[in-house]
Amino acid sequence: DAAKKEGFPFCGLLYVGLMITANGPKVLEYNCRFGDPETEAVLMLLESDLFEIMAACSNGNLPSVQPILCDDSKSAVTIVAASEGYPESYPKGRKITGIEDAETISGIKVFHAGTKKVDGQLVTSGGRVLAVSSIGSSLREALDLAYSGMRKIHFDGMHYRTDIGYRALKRNTLVEFFENQYKKKLILVSAAFVALGAFLISKRKI
């Protein structure tokens, strides 16, 4: 609506690059495209047809479509397999294996980025080569699935981060710890009230 008021109505994707600072989030850039590799994780959670959403957007009829997402208990994770040397200069044409094995794991989808086929063989052709995405019943399960899928894939010089999601996982674990401590105290207090009630009843009978 703001762009429309300025005289140039926008129709499409608007991806915002943010940096989280001590003073809150700061905008680094706007991009008129999907964000990669963030989009892959979002798509794993989307149950409705992406084509219908994009078609409605291009026709100026986006309000007619209601995206359907997985229930809130689900988590999705994406891990990128990169070429040796990335983000600096990197070699190309290295043979890729194991994608089919990775996708036999339930909840795994491998998205291609810097790949191509040469004489029927899949090889690397970019810095960010593949995105292994997963969906699970919890963040821990999604992470375990994604890394299990990644370990099935191989090309010379392949590397990927091993700390994806662990800050959020640590935060979730801390929240669960305090919730459990609260529940334990609540149970103890409830038990104390029950014991007190039983004691008062017994005194009244006497």
Side-chain angles (χ1 to χ4, degrees):
D1 288 341
K4 187 176 181 180
K5 289 178 182 178
E6 293 290 333
F8 53 96
F10 178 79
C11 177
L13 296 161
L14 193 61
Y15 170 69
V16 183
L18 300 175
M19 178 178 286
I20 307 302
T21 72
N23 297 318
K26 304 294 183 181
V27 177
L28 295 177
E29 60 180 355
Y30 290 101
N31 293 291
C32 298
R33 59 172 176 81
F34 281 116
D36 175 53
E38 296 82 2
T39 298
E40 286 89 329
V42 174
L43 290 178
M44 295 296 287
L45 298 170
L46 183 67
E47 293 187 343
S48 51
D49 191 334
L50 179 62
F51 174 79
E52 291 182 359
I53 298 171
M54 296 295 97
C57 181
S58 63
N59 293 329
N61 197 28
L62 190 57
S64 67
V65 178
Q66 183 63 46
I68 301 172
L69 298 174
C70 294
D71 61 81
D72 292 340
S73 65
K74 300 288 187 180
S75 293
V77 169
T78 294
I79 303 169
V80 173
S83 292
E84 180 182 10
Y86 178 82
E88 304 298 330
S89 60
Y90 48 84
K92 298 179 181 179
R94 291 185 169 177
K95 180 181 177 181
I96 304 170
T97 60
I99 292 177
E100 295 82 2
D101 293 335
E103 291 192 321
T104 62
I105 301 173
S106 179
I108 290 287
K109 174 68 177 176
V110 180
F111 292 90
H112 293 243
T115 68
K116 67 178 181 179
K117 278 193 173 182
V118 177
D119 297 327
Q121 173 62 55
L122 193 68
V123 299
T124 63
S125 64
R128 286 189 288 185
V129 180
L130 298 165
V132 178
S133 300
S134 65
I135 185 169
S137 58
S138 66
L139 178 58
R140 164 58 72 184
E141 182 180 72
L143 280 167
D144 289 344
L145 285 170
Y147 280 112
S148 294
M150 186 65 82
R151 286 190 290 270
K152 299 283 188 182
I153 299 171
H154 175 77
F155 56 85
D156 288 344
M158 168 180 155
H159 65 96
Y160 54 90
R161 286 178 54 176
T162 58
D163 62 343
I164 297 297
Y166 279 93
R167 187 177 297 175
L169 189 64
K170 185 177 180 181
R171 183 170 59 248
N172 288 354
T173 301
L174 192 61
V175 169
E176 289 174 3
F177 170 78
F178 283 113
E179 285 180 345
N180 290 334
Q181 293 300 309
Y182 172 77
K183 289 176 182 177
K184 289 178 182 178
K185 289 180 180 179
L186 188 61
I187 291 171
L188 288 174
V189 171
S190 299
F193 273 112
V194 170
L196 178 61
F199 173 76
L200 292 175
I201 291 172
S202 66
K203 285 294 184 181
R204 185 174 181 181
K205 288 181 178 178
I206 294 173

